[in-house]
Amino acid sequence: MKAQEKRLAKVLSDPVEFISRLKIKGKSGSLIKLSPNKEQIKIIEALVTEEDTLVLKGRQIGSSTIVSAYLFWKAYTATEPITIAILSHKLASARHLLEIHKTFYNNLPNFLKKPLGAENSTILSFLDSGANIIAVSAEGKGGLRSFTCSYLHMSEYAFAPAPDELKATALSALNDGQLIIESTAKHFDDALHKEWMRAERGEARWKALFFPWFEHESYREDYDEVKLLPLTEAEVSLQQLYNLDLAQIAWRRSKISKMGNIQKFNREYPATIEDAYSISGSVYLSREDMVDVECVQIDPMEVTVFADPDPDDSYAIGVDVSAGVGRDYSVFYIISKKTYAPVYMLRTNEMSPAYLAERIMGAAIEYNRALVLIESNNFGNVVLNEIRHLGYFNIYKEDGKDWITTSKSKTIMFENLKDKIIGGYIRWLDNIVYSELRSITISERGAIELQQLGDSHSDNAVALALSYMALEKVELKNVLFLPEWIKTQRAHKIKTSAGIGAGANRRY
């Protein structure tokens, strides 16, 4: 008996062991054992940290089911009266997820069925601990505002008619509890995408999970090698980038054929965030372009110093100016000529153009009287006039004139930045500008289009592109050769583009 009790205690203490013994309704409607797949286990591993968790899901991952199973385990094993809330904009959606919890309970072995305190269309509670699982909606009177909960589950957040209201309702109820959002993508810059971008920029503390289609174990297909080969150029590129085998290539080709076009496949079975959001137009910087650029996580502070001034180095500053009234951001980067890396970044939406000029001048003097490029559009003119009034004149000019960002010059500065990225000069970027660069698209007419990401209109991306334009006119005193790491990166890029040794440095 003691051995049985030990085995039971082990199962109850381990969420994967417990969940593996639950039953769910399969596609045919019959009951089947819930055997977590690789993606579902990763979701459980994120949930046990008790941190807020954001899941951007593709088809057939079963994130709603596994989140429900985890929360059922929390309620079932609770020793105190915790409340687990399932929140949706419509009560019917929340009730549907509660039915999954009831299926778990109703199909437990009889000796494990604890007495229930209550069970109806909106609640399932356990008598011994008082733990509750409730279905609620933001549309009901008071919603969740009349009480608190320890865990809150929101499914298909991107499709809620009023996602901001839904999130506000959740946060008012949670206090220090765990928020779990899982949803498929709806459209570019939807509520889920905004949360994802905030997480990438370090502005929100999410355990953010995304699962590309090729990680799903069942997305494979038997193939006839004669019919499958030779692979297309795009398939070879994907095979090298994601280490795909021929069974995965065959499955992908079959799905695209059935769905009619690659765009539909990418939306339903994304390999990247860009695919999931079906950005209109072509992505300007593809994942292949960015494969050798490390994304460095930083906290969203006003000033971030990456490296102190080097007396033997030269620097360039690129400035994107806003009005400083809590809307778009004023941003400037300082870039090292020696390393081609950012050494300093200022980002604020609460600084007047006049005070911004003082901050630029102070940083420019500190970094060896750096060359400053300030676009003269709109509020940029105020900054230019003020910095000259302060006595700083190492200002970038193009053909004797201050820089004006037009559709033509915007293309020039971003093409210059793209060349630096593809050429291997830029080895890392912070998460804020990295996410902005990934969102830039090319319209059908070939124009570069910057995207609005939350309260930022790609301000970091613009400042970065301007800084590398200025860097073109900066020279080092005694450096005759490129640093060895630049030679190595450029050689790697050349070999990769030629198909030699491709995939050796994959990051995904």
Side-chain angles (χ1 to χ4, degrees), residues 101-138:
H101 289 266
K102 291 180 181 179
T103 299
F104 293 149
Y105 175 79
N106 291 331
N107 292 283
L108 288 171
N110 286 332
F111 75 93
L112 284 179
K113 283 188 177 179
K114 294 182 176 183
L116 296 178
E119 180 187 5
N120 56 46
S121 62
T122 60
I123 188 169
L124 181 71
S125 69
F126 295 105
L127 188 62
D128 61 345
S129 63
N132 298 294
I133 305 170
I134 61 171
V136 291
S137 73

Side-chain angles (χ1 to χ4, degrees), residues 64-81:
S64 298
T65 299
I66 206 65
V67 170
S68 297
Y70 174 81
L71 293 177
F72 180 78
W73 169 73
K74 294 294 293 188
Y76 185 89
T77 58
T79 56
E80 56 187 8

Side-chain angles (χ1 to χ4, degrees), residues 46 50 122 132 149 193 199 254-255 277 285 299 332 412 447 459 496:
E50 298 284 319
T122 60
N132 298 294
C149 55
H193 191 212
S254 175
K255 276 291 180 184
Y277 280 98
L285 285 162
D299 292 324
F332 71 79
I412 291 171
D459 307 306
T496 300

